[in-house]
């Protein structure tokens, strides 16, 4: 309430600003004013024909507001000091509502201070739109950061999208504008109408903190339902830390939710439909985790989500946010973890988004050498600004805490770490030390990972980092960036190139399959065969393989076997598990009808069996990130393109011998030295008939002979199937 001893007058400028929707101090001219003569009330209700003021408690008449200038402004004396309502007469209807300018300050000074310091990590329940009750009145508190704006109004379904009706109050010096709108509630659409410091009117802005959004191509924000989702995954959340250690059997199925399955042209499955179809499939295939390409609200579907604007809201393409909660809950009940791609590296230039949000470069840098990505035509966040850093960290925390997501895969980390990323000399600004490292981004990433570790027990973060930046997955306390895992892009590039070579020439590329072991334990790695490898003319995985159709399938089966045996967690993109021929197209679903053909069905069976073998065999995952879990036996047989290595897990002596024959030539009596005498059982053979192979092998196992080879006293003389990977383990 405004304290004054006389009726506050309205200046000519204030009247003009009221009329054109650019009023920057609405509480100075609207709402109740206590004077020596009593209470005086002023309201701006353009289009109204009359306004009566009644008691909120019992509908008693307290006064009548009379029209004045500018048109739409009403004012008058009101009896008493009790809470009141407006009874407004329009041309054909009468409705009642509380006066939004009769409510006191909304946000605490503590929250505003924490926001400016970048330490308000539950920001989505402070800023943005939050349906709350104030003084026993239900409504929505709107709050938005726009420190350089001349004026800000909230517009939406509750005020006919009229920027004159609900101008907001600036909380100086925080730069946050706030207003409580009585009777605005969940499901209502809204935006912010902003007047820049130069008095220019900006395009209406979606809420950066929106917790729900309209489905594109619409761009409005939606007031979210404040009722919390009732979760059923207590056991999962309690135990998930054990599922996320560097010694855990993590296998990830990467999915583009809009195109995994399409019920019809241009149609996508809702979260509930995905829970019914996708979750059982991932669980039955034995993947430990499902990774979703970015699902945060994004305007352009062709960006696959990698140009997001709503960092706190699941895309409206798939239904309301509580549908995503049910989806995650279903995953957890099925024993599947959920990782989402999270994009703090850049944001698009759409006028309704973050770009020059208050008429100035607020979220981005002013200098395009620092604030614009030439590759993607997007803006770069100003990581050195505390409010921006806090906004981004709060977004990551929101997905982990509010939606129970188990991990965040952080996109394009390399572009954040280097100021000269994809820039020529003279196109970038050195750091304060004259170097190319982005010190502000490094600080942000470290802070982000520390906050996640402290607040979100058991959650993981994964970096897509394509350079040799040291310590990406090492603790911040040890000088690292603090991620849990890092994508091993070098392994992916080298091994895929090797597999693309005709087997005749693979002898000249031997190091491409072995080089990754030189640095395999420098980080906690994930081995990714992601969506990036099957788009833009690169062809599908099966299409990359050389030879006739039989050899292509055999090559891919052998490659999958090598990948699942190699140190590091596993990730494949949807469609790879059934050897889809077409490269991925985000407008089309996976070619599920290929499963009518034995070879494609065999590939799917192999991936399922590899997941089971990896999960149940300690030797294949317990020491994924330490060198003691791996030892080469044969790594230099370039003439035959044969590779053999041992994987070991716990100190119980269990081990697995992995042998790869990367040529189409079967090899009989191939000797491999082993440290254990006795019978070695064949655990898996990628050439098995069940997988579409020739069914050549070792009849389920082979006995060692006391012959010295490869520094060992025992030798296995094996039959190596063509283009195949074998897994063998000694019988204890």
């Amino acid at each position: 309430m405004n304290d004054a001893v006389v009726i506050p007058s309205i200046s000519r400028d204030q009247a003009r600003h009221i009329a054109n929707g650019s009023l920057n101090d609405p509480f100075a001219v609207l709402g109740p004013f206590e004077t020596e003569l009593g209470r005086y009330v002023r309201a701006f209700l353009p289009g109204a024909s009359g306004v009566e003021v009644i008691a909120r408690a019992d509908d008693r008449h307290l006064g009548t507001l009379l029209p004045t200038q500018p048109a739409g402004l009403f004012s008058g004396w009101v009896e008493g000091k009790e809470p009141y309502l407006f009874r407004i007469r329009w041309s054909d209807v009468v409705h009642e509502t509380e006066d939004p300018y009769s409510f006191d300050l909304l946000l605490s000074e503590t929250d505003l201070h924490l926001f400016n310091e970048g330490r308000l990590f539950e920001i989505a329940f402070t800023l943005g739109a939050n349906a709350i009750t104030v003084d026993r009145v239900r409504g929505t508190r709107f709050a938005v950061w726009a420190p350089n704006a001349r004026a800000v109004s909230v517009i939406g379904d509750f005020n006919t999208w009229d920027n004159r009706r609900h101008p907001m109050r600036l909380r100086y010096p925080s730069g946050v504008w706030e207003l409580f709108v009585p009777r605005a509630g969940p499901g209502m659409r809204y935006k912010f109408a902003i007047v820049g410091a130069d008095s220019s009117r900006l395009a209406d802005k979606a809420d950066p903190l929106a917790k729900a959004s309209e489905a594109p191509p619409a761009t409005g924000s939606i007031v979210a339902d404040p009722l919390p989702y009732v979760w059923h995954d207590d056991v999962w959340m309690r135990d998930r830390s054990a599922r996320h250690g560097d010694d855990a059997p993590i296998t990830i199925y990467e999915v583009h939710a809009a195109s995994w399955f399409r019920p019809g042209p241009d149609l996508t499955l809702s979260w509930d439909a995905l829970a019914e179809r996708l979750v059982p499939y991932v669980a039955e295939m034995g993947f430990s985790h499902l990774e979703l390409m970015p699902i945060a609200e994004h305007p352009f579907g062709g960006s696959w989500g990698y140009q997001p604007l709503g960092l706190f809201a699941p895309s409206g393409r798939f239904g309301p946010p509580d549908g995503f909660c049910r989806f995650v809950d279903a995953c957890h009940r099925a024993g599947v973890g959920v990782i989402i791609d999270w994009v703090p590296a850049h944001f698009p230039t759409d006028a309704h988004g973050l770009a020059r949000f208050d008429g100035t470069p607020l979220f981005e840098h002013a200098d395009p050498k620092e604030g614009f990505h030439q590759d993607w035509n997007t803006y770069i966040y100003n990581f050195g600004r505390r409010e921006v850093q806090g906004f981004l960290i709060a977004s990551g925390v929101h997905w982990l805490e509010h939606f129970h997501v188990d991990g965040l895969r952080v996109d394009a980390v390399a572009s954040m770490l280097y100021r000269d990323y994809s820039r020529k000399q003279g196109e970038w600004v050195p750091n304060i030390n004259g170097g190319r490292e982005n010190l502000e981004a490094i600080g942000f990433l470290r802070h982000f990972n520390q906050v996640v570790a402290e607040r979100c027990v058991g959650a993981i973060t994964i970096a897509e980092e394509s350079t040799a930046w040291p310590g990406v997955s090492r603790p911040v306390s040890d000088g690292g960036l603090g991620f849990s895992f890092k994508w091993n892009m070098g392994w992916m590039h080298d091994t895929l190139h090797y597999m693309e070579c005709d087997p005749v020439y693979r002898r000249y590329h031997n190091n491409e399959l072995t080089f990754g072991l030189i640095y395999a334990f420098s980080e906690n790695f994930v081995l990714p065969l992601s969506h990036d490898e099957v788009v833009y003319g690169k062809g599908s995985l099966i299409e990359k393989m050389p030879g006739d159709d039989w050899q292509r399938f055999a090559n891919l089966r052998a490659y999958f076997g090598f990948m699942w045996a190699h140190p590091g967690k596993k990730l494949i993109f949807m469609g790879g598990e059934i050897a889809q021929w077409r490269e991925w197209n985000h407008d089309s679903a996976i070619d599920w009808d290929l499963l009518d053909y034995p070879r494609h069905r065999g590939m799917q069976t192999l991936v399922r069996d590899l997941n089971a073998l990896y999960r149940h065999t300690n030797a294949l995952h317990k020491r994924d990130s330490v060198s003691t879990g791996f030892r080469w036996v044969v790594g230099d047989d370039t003439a035959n393109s044969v590779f053999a290595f041992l994987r070991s897990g716990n100190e119980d002596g269990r081990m697995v011998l992995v042998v790869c024959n990367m040529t189409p030539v079967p090899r009989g009596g191939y000797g491999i030295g082993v440290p254990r005498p006795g019978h070695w059982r064949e655990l898996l053979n990628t050439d098995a008939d069940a997988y579409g192979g020739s069914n050549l092998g070792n009849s389920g196992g082979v006995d060692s002979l006391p012959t010295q080879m490869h520094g060992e006293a025992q030798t296995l003389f094996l039959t190596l199937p063509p283009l195949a990977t074998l897994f063998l383990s000694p019988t204890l």
Side-chain angles (χ1 to χ4, degrees), residues 135-337:
D135 297 340
R136 300 183 180 180
V137 177
R138 291 182 178 180
T140 297
R141 181 187 66 213
F142 295 95
V144 64
W145 182 52
N148 303 304
R150 171 71 176 76
V152 179
S153 299
V154 60
I155 56 177
D157 292 334
F158 42 83
N159 63 11
T160 67
W161 297 85
D162 187 340
N163 68 308
R164 301 173 297 166
R165 296 180 184 272
H166 286 103
M168 303 175 76
R169 166 166 45 197
L170 175 63
R171 297 292 301 276
Y172 183 83
S174 69
V176 171
W177 301 74
E178 65 173 21
L179 187 69
F180 178 70
V181 179
R183 309 196 184 196
M188 290 187 173
R189 300 172 301 160
Y190 69 98
K191 282 186 176 181
F192 295 110
I194 299 177
V195 177
D198 61 356
S199 297
S200 63
R201 191 171 300 281
L202 309 181
D204 294 337
K205 296 287 189 176
D207 182 3
L209 276 298
K211 295 185 288 295
S213 299
E214 288 186 281
T219 58
S221 303
I222 296 175
V223 179
D225 188 339
L227 291 177
Y229 176 77
V230 179
W231 291 91
H232 308 88
D233 62 349
D234 291 351
V235 174
W236 171 276
M237 297 297 286
R238 183 193 67 203
D239 298 339
R240 73 175 178 179
S241 292
R243 301 172 183 265
H244 287 162
D246 56 17
D247 62 347
I250 296 176
T251 54
I252 304 168
Y253 186 59
E254 186 191 23
V255 166
H256 180 250
S259 61
W260 180 77
F261 181 88
R262 288 187 178 273
D266 301 321
L267 297 178
T268 59
L269 296 179
S270 67
W271 289 121
D272 291 319
L274 284 165
E276 292 179 2
R277 301 189 68 138
L278 174 59
V279 175
Y281 178 77
V282 175
E284 194 273 334
M285 286 295 294
F287 288 99
S288 67
H289 289 74
L290 170 67
E291 179 175 323
L292 296 170
M293 293 167 67
I295 59 165
E297 193 56 79
H298 52 283
F300 176 44
S303 76
W304 313 330
Y306 289 102
Q307 294 189 12
L309 282 178
L311 294 188
F312 293 78
S315 176
R317 294 167 173 84
F318 310 106
D322 60 335
F324 182 60
C325 291
R326 290 191 293 273
F327 175 82
V328 174
D329 213 355
C331 286
H332 289 172
R333 293 198 304 273
V336 175

Side-chain angles (χ1 to χ4, degrees), residues 484-548:
S484 309
F485 296 96
K486 171 183 173 175
W487 273 20
N488 194 336
M489 309 293 282
W491 175 91
M492 178 271 297
H493 284 297
D494 288 347
T495 59
L496 267 181
H497 184 263
Y498 177 90
M499 295 305 300
E500 289 172 351
C501 291
D502 188 292
V504 172
Y505 302 110
R506 284 177 178 170
R507 65 176 63 193
Y508 305 113
H509 299 273
N510 203 74
N511 65 307
E512 292 180 348
L513 223 57
T514 61
F515 181 69
L517 272 304
I518 295 176
Y519 60 87
F521 311 106
S522 61
E523 302 275 4
N524 300 331
F525 279 122
V526 172
L527 310 181
L529 293 178
S530 74
H531 66 277
D532 278 330
E533 311 319 313
V534 293
V535 291
Y536 296 141
K538 296 178 183 177
S540 65
L541 290 180
I542 188 68
E543 198 175 17
K544 295 178 193 292
M545 301 296 115
D548 58 23

Side-chain angles (χ1 to χ4, degrees), residues 64 412 438:
T64 300
N438 190 326

Side-chain angles (χ1 to χ4, degrees), residues 72-135:
L73 189 64
F74 292 80
S75 62
W77 295 100
V78 174
E79 296 178 4
K81 296 184 178 181
E82 62 191 294
Y84 62 89
L85 295 171
F86 290 146
R87 180 173 288 158
I88 308 168
R89 294 192 307 275
W90 306 97
S91 60
D92 57 354
V93 70
V94 174
H95 93 275
E96 296 177 356
T97 184
E98 294 77 11
D99 180 0
Y101 300 99
S102 67
F103 295 89
D104 213 335
L105 297 176
L106 302 172
L107 300 177
S108 72
E109 293 295 338
T110 298
D111 281 348
L112 293 174
H113 173 73
L114 289 173
F115 167 70
N116 289 135
E117 289 294 311
R119 295 188 289 117
L120 186 64
F121 300 126
E122 295 181 357
I123 187 176
F125 300 100
T126 305
L127 273 63
N130 287 279
I132 60 173
T133 299
V134 179
D135 297 340

Side-chain angles (χ1 to χ4, degrees), residues 44-62:
F44 186 61
L45 300 165
S49 59
V51 182
E52 180 186 1
V53 181
I54 60 176
R56 211 188 286 171
D58 56 13
D59 288 352
R60 283 180 297 109
H61 176 82
L62 301 178

